Amino acid sequence: MFYLIPFLLGSVIGIFTLILSLIFKRLGKLTNANIVTYIGILIGGGILWYSLEIVRGFEGAMIGLIGVFAILECIAIRIYLASTKKGGGSIAK
């Protein structure tokens, strides 16, 4: 249960990022789709920083896991956007 709730809350950030990225990608603005994923990574980093600096103990660990899951999902979305045919550029360039 300790990992399920942070995973679900991190997934909310990831799903929101995925929807916005796909909307921008469909509109043909690939750089904006990449910017959305970078903003998601920054939000996850901000949550992680907040959990380390402000909140301590087990509550901080739970909030930190939300940030970690959000970062991981945004990185996966960025890799997905780069791997699609119309994708937002290749990471390996």
Side-chain angles (χ1 to χ4, degrees):
M1 199 63 165
F2 182 75
Y3 295 109
L4 182 63
I5 294 173
F7 175 73
L8 292 175
L9 292 175
S11 295
V12 169
I13 296 171
I15 290 170
F16 185 69
T17 304
L18 178 65
I19 290 170
L20 280 177
S21 297
L22 291 176
I23 288 171
F24 282 127
K25 183 180 166 192
R26 187 170 292 235
L27 292 174
K29 300 177 179 168
L30 299 173
T31 56
N32 290 346
N34 292 333
I35 290 172
V36 171
T37 59
Y38 295 142
I39 290 173
I41 292 170
L42 287 175
I43 289 172
I47 292 172
L48 189 60
W49 175 83
Y50 179 77
S51 72
L52 292 172
E53 287 293 320
I54 308 299
V55 184
R56 304 277 171 123
F58 288 109
E59 294 87 5
M62 189 175 221
I63 293 173
L65 284 175
I66 294 170
V68 168
F69 286 129
I71 290 170
L72 291 176
E73 289 184 9
C74 289
I75 290 172
I77 291 167
R78 173 66 181 104
I79 292 170
Y80 169 74
L81 287 175
S83 68
T84 56
K85 197 168 191 179
K86 289 183 181 177
S90 176
I91 293 176
K93 279 187 177 178

